[in-house]
Amino acid sequence: MTLLLTANSENILHTQYKYRRCCFIYLLVLLIDTASQHRSAEEGVEGDSVVLRCSHRSFLLEDKQLTVYWRHSDTRNVYDIIHGEVSVKEQHPAYKNRAEVLPEELKNGRISLKLTDLQRSDGGTYICFVPDVGVHHSTQLVVKERPVTEHSTDTSLGRTLPLLLLPGFILQFI
């Protein structure tokens, strides 16, 4: 009976060891996977430009065969680099002549997307996907309304000066 309990105890300990080892491996894989799925946030103002960054230590940007997909809200094609070549064939019309990847950033291991002439509809989630290295980076873009500026009449150029020329006629200089 004692021998049977000892064998069962060893089996239980061995099973617990396997379980803990599996849990450790699972957590390690989960951490590695999460590390490649970066998230960030950017703010921009209507009419201005913004740069969305996507970087990862394993980018081999010297390799001209890199493939990168930039998407807005998972469906709108913003910008593609396929095997090192820019491809705007399937680019969504809303980004035509407003989206570009900054070549100087590529040398530093970053794939930076510049959006110009921001519109309120540009707000949302942008995904940078680099399948060769398994990077999936998302950036939340918030586009704020351009503040309305009031015109002041207190400046020397903005002052209105009435001038009496003839009785009943007033000329104003602006």
Side-chain angles (χ1 to χ4, degrees):
M1 180 88 160
T2 306
L3 185 59
L4 185 61
L5 284 175
T6 306
N8 279 342
S9 296
E10 286 178 11
N11 282 343
I12 291 171
L13 287 175
H14 185 66
T15 303
Q16 286 177 344
Y17 174 74
K18 281 182 173 179
Y19 177 74
R20 286 182 182 167
R21 194 169 91 189
C22 285
C23 286
F24 175 77
I25 291 170
Y26 175 75
L27 287 174
L28 185 62
V29 168
L30 184 64
L31 285 173
I32 290 170
D33 186 49
T34 302
S36 68
Q37 293 185 8
H38 303 284
R39 290 171 182 83
S40 61
E42 291 290 332
E43 282 188 3
V45 177
E46 216 174 2
D48 287 350
S49 298
V50 70
V51 175
L52 308 178
R53 290 178 172 73
C54 176
S55 62
H56 194 268
R57 66 182 175 279
S58 65
F59 283 157
L60 295 173
L61 300 176
E62 305 306 321
D63 179 13
K64 303 294 185 202
Q65 301 304 310
L66 191 66
T67 297
V68 180
Y69 302 105
W70 277 97
R71 298 291 180 269
H72 179 213
S73 301
D74 289 331
T75 57
R76 293 172 116 185
N77 181 333
V78 180
Y79 201 88
D80 288 340
I81 299 174
I82 300 174
H83 302 298
E85 297 292 324
V86 172
S87 174
V88 292
K89 288 189 283 192
E90 297 179 25
Q91 184 180 44
H92 192 280
Y95 302 102
K96 186 173 179 75
N97 300 320
R98 294 193 318 114
E100 68 174 313
V101 168
L102 303 174
E104 63 273 9
E105 293 284 308
L106 290 171
K107 297 172 191 165
N108 299 323
R110 290 185 295 269
I111 302 168
S112 299
L113 177 74
K114 182 177 181 181
L115 290 175
T116 58
D117 190 25
L118 284 176
Q119 302 165 12
R120 296 287 296 221
S121 60
D122 290 334
T125 303
Y126 286 79
I127 306 294
C128 166
F129 179 58
V130 186
D132 300 337
V133 291
V135 170
H136 183 268
H137 183 103
S138 73
T139 302
Q140 185 68 32
L141 175 62
V142 176
V143 179
K144 295 182 176 183
E145 190 174 350
R146 179 167 294 288
V148 178
T149 57
E150 293 182 27
H151 297 289
S152 173
T153 58
D154 276 346
T155 64
S156 60
L157 293 176
R159 239 179 241 158
T160 303
L161 300 173
L163 183 64
L164 183 61
L165 291 176
L166 295 171
F169 292 100
I170 297 178
L171 179 63
Q172 293 185 343
F173 289 88
I174 297 177

